[in-house]
Amino acid sequence: MSNYLAIDGGTTNTRISLVKDGKIIGRVVKEIGARKSIEGNMLLKSVIKEGISQLLLDNHIQNGEIDRILASGMITSEYGLMEIPHIIAPAGISEFHSAMVELVFPDISEIPFVLGPGVRMDGRCFDTVDVMRGEETELFGLMDALEPEKAYILPGSHSKCIFADVNGRISYFFTSLTGEMFFALMKDTILKSAVACENQVDVDYLIKGYDFCEQWGLNRSLFKARILKNVFQCGPLEIYSFFSGAVLHDEVKSLLNLDVKEYVVAGKSQLRNPMEILLKRCSDREVTVLPDKLSDIAATVGIIRIYEYGDETI
């Protein structure tokens, strides 16, 4: 059985996992991603090199014991290590496997890297063209097979809603800038003094935020977070929940308009949990929520599945 280092490069974080004999035995998470590499990738390279060295040292493993470094996500974008062209949907695991690129980054490691591509919606219609890097790998790690008539929802920095055709290939998807909107509004506006990130949600205030946005729109709803703090002296959880309901409103509304029988929701619990609450409250369709333990390892499992696809000898 092969041993790998698997890198999941996101917009805000880079996760490096050590996989030995099919089991994840170590992981490091670095708080640097594509957002901090817009001006150049030297820091990203340095952080990845440091993370790899740390994992191998801590687990008493030599470079020669690792077969490949498998990388996916924004690390294969123009703000990553090297830009790998998107493949065109519809695309399944076979197409992703065939489009992988192997090369060595000697300033990082002597171990060969294998970079996975993202996927792009083709066409001339502005409404439907979209791109994705990383979430496709996560989805293949979450699901043994993709099914039509389901919407696969992966909340995150760039939240994705993904659909499959009858052959189990990714056929269509669209993106919302949800996670980055949360981050930007909380860090770089006057709401910084009012909204603090919480790991739980107050259901009543989440729904209040959603309903207020439904009636008055996002712009007006956002300022109400400040009103809740300064006028009504609400607590951090209530304010954050109202804020979350407002920010998630447009994305949830777009999901409610879909002609599907089931929503399958995974991803980070911070966004996944309020998404689940709102979908169950606003829709009578089935909502299936995948647990944290699956979401946490999905990108690692997915990139290995893609790399090993069709190889009976691995």
Side-chain angles (χ1 to χ4, degrees), residues 57-225:
L57 180 63
D58 290 348
N59 291 277
H60 310 289
I61 292 178
Q62 303 297 317
N63 281 357
E65 299 177 65
I66 302 297
D67 296 276
R68 294 292 187 276
I69 300 172
L70 309 179
S72 64
M74 293 299 288
I75 200 170
T76 70
S77 75
E78 70 272 30
Y79 302 132
L81 295 181
M82 178 179 179
E83 185 174 8
I84 306 300
H86 294 91
I87 60 176
I88 305 300
I93 195 168
S94 173
E95 288 80 6
F96 282 102
H97 172 81
S98 298
M100 285 181 146
V101 175
E102 181 170 325
L103 70 166
V104 175
F105 294 98
D107 50 348
I108 299 178
S109 175
E110 63 187 33
I111 305 169
F113 276 71
V114 177
L115 304 181
V119 60
R120 176 167 66 89
M121 294 299 306
D122 199 15
R124 300 179 181 179
C125 178
F126 179 76
D127 291 350
T128 57
V129 174
D130 210 326
V131 294
M132 175 164 59
R133 286 191 188 273
E135 293 86 1
E136 72 294 326
T137 306
E138 183 179 351
L139 186 58
F140 286 125
L142 287 167
M143 310 301 299
D144 292 329
L146 304 184
E147 301 177 35
E149 299 186 337
K150 293 185 179 182
Y152 296 96
I153 303 163
L154 302 178
S157 295
H158 304 156
S159 294
K160 303 291 182 181
C161 181
I162 308 170
F163 306 87
D165 62 17
V166 294
N167 297 311
R169 302 175 301 173
I170 293 173
S171 59
Y172 176 69
F173 58 90
F174 61 83
T175 307
S176 302
L177 205 69
T178 309
E180 288 218 78
M181 185 185 297
F182 267 80
F183 179 88
L185 289 168
M186 288 191 293
K187 299 296 182 182
D188 295 318
T189 72
I190 198 170
L191 297 183
K192 181 178 182 179
S193 64
V195 183
C197 187
E198 297 284 338
N199 292 323
Q200 297 179 324
V201 65
D202 182 302
V203 175
D204 289 340
Y205 274 81
L206 176 75
I207 293 172
K208 286 179 188 293
Y210 180 90
D211 289 344
F212 192 91
C213 190
E214 172 81 9
Q215 183 173 3
W216 301 105
L218 179 61
N219 205 331
R220 185 170 171 182
S221 301
L222 291 174
F223 195 76
K224 289 297 181 181

Side-chain angles (χ1 to χ4, degrees), residues 291-308:
D292 282 334
K293 64 181 180 180
L294 290 180
S295 295
D296 287 346
I297 64 172
T300 299
V301 173
I303 193 64
I304 293 174
R305 280 181 176 172
I306 293 170
Y307 179 68
E308 294 186 345

Side-chain angles (χ1 to χ4, degrees), residues 246-264:
V247 174
L248 286 171
H249 173 271
D250 285 1
E251 184 176 351
V252 171
K253 286 288 286 188
S254 68
L255 297 174
L256 298 177
N257 290 330
L258 299 174
D259 183 18
V260 294
K261 294 181 178 179
E262 181 181 351
Y263 302 109
V264 180

